[in-house]
Amino acid sequence: MEKVIYENGISDTLEKPFSACWIVCSPHGDSNLIIGETDKVKEYWGSLDDSFDFQWYLFNSKEEMDTGIKQITKEPAPSGEWMLFTVENCVNGLYPNEQNGGQPIMEQILDVTYVSVWDGGFEIETKAKFNRDTMQVFDIESVEGIDDEGDEVEILEEEYILLSDGTKFYVEEDGGKYIAY
């Protein structure tokens, strides 16, 4: 991943076919990461009046770009939260936060179903949040652990989360944090 400042066509990006450019549109706005083919990202960026901050990352392939995006977004966003947009979903002249068509391609925090299995198979389902970058599960809704017969549950057998698409991750407590694997 090559990091450059691109301004007024000064930086040579012709040999790097894929790019990610982060744009902050207001002093307290999110860090919008626009990704895609370099020429399209440059065209979109050039259609904007101005932005408060920007930084370019250049890649040799789509695979390298996908890996680079994971590396970039593991760090805290320069402003607000990371919001990722494919350049094809961006409307020239409109900032990502002004668009109806642009959609984040990755939201780091997901709403999930947290399932704890007790006493030979009794399942308790609650709501929770999941950060898919750090794999941490948090804001787990607390409920009273009473089985169908009115008895208090005693032995925890396993814990897991279910994503909206049905993906299942087992959960373990590690140093007071719940981590999915």
Side-chain angles (χ1 to χ4, degrees):
M1 169 173 66
E2 181 181 337
K3 188 165 134 178
V4 298
I5 299 290
Y6 171 80
E7 190 169 11
N8 300 323
I10 293 171
S11 195
D12 179 12
T13 58
L14 295 177
E15 294 182 26
K16 303 287 185 174
F18 293 92
S19 297
C21 175
W22 68 259
I23 301 171
V24 178
C25 305
S26 69
H28 304 290
D30 288 324
S31 293
N32 301 295
L33 194 59
I34 312 301
I35 64 167
E37 295 177 18
T38 297
D39 58 342
K40 292 178 182 176
V41 174
K42 285 168 54 176
E43 178 185 341
Y44 171 70
W45 183 79
S47 76
L48 302 175
D49 290 332
D50 60 15
S51 64
F52 286 91
D53 285 308
F54 62 92
Q55 179 72 57
W56 283 77
Y57 299 88
L58 304 173
F59 308 97
N60 291 311
S61 67
K62 184 176 182 327
E63 293 77 22
E64 185 180 295
M65 180 179 70
D66 292 342
T67 301
I69 290 165
K70 289 177 184 173
Q71 183 181 353
I72 293 165
T73 57
K74 280 186 180 179
E75 299 297 321
S79 175
E81 299 293 325
W82 283 115
M83 296 295 288
L84 283 77
F85 295 84
T86 60
V87 71
E88 290 80 13
N89 287 335
C90 293
V91 178
N92 282 353
L94 293 180
Y95 293 102
N97 58 334
E98 297 174 334
Q99 304 178 47
N100 292 327
Q103 296 295 317
I105 62 169
M106 181 178 76
E107 294 180 11
Q108 295 175 7
I109 308 299
L110 302 174
D111 291 320
V112 296
T113 301
Y114 176 83
V115 181
S116 56
V117 182
W118 299 83
D119 301 335
F122 181 74
E123 294 184 356
I124 299 176
E125 292 186 7
T126 61
K127 297 177 183 177
K129 301 277 186 194
F130 172 57
N131 182 325
R132 69 176 174 191
D133 286 336
T134 65
M135 299 300 284
Q136 185 173 351
V137 181
F138 59 99
D139 286 350
I140 301 169
E141 183 180 37
S142 180
V143 296
E144 193 172 345
I146 304 294
D147 66 17
D148 291 333
E149 294 158 7
D151 297 324
E152 190 172 315
V153 294
E154 295 179 11
I155 300 171
L156 177 63
E157 295 177 359
E158 68 180 0
E159 302 166 282
Y160 60 90
I161 58 170
L162 294 172
L163 279 59
S164 61
D165 67 1
T167 302
K168 179 179 181 177
F169 289 103
Y170 288 95
V171 176
E172 285 186 359
E173 185 178 1
D174 182 20
K177 294 181 179 181
Y178 290 88
I179 306 298
Y181 64 96

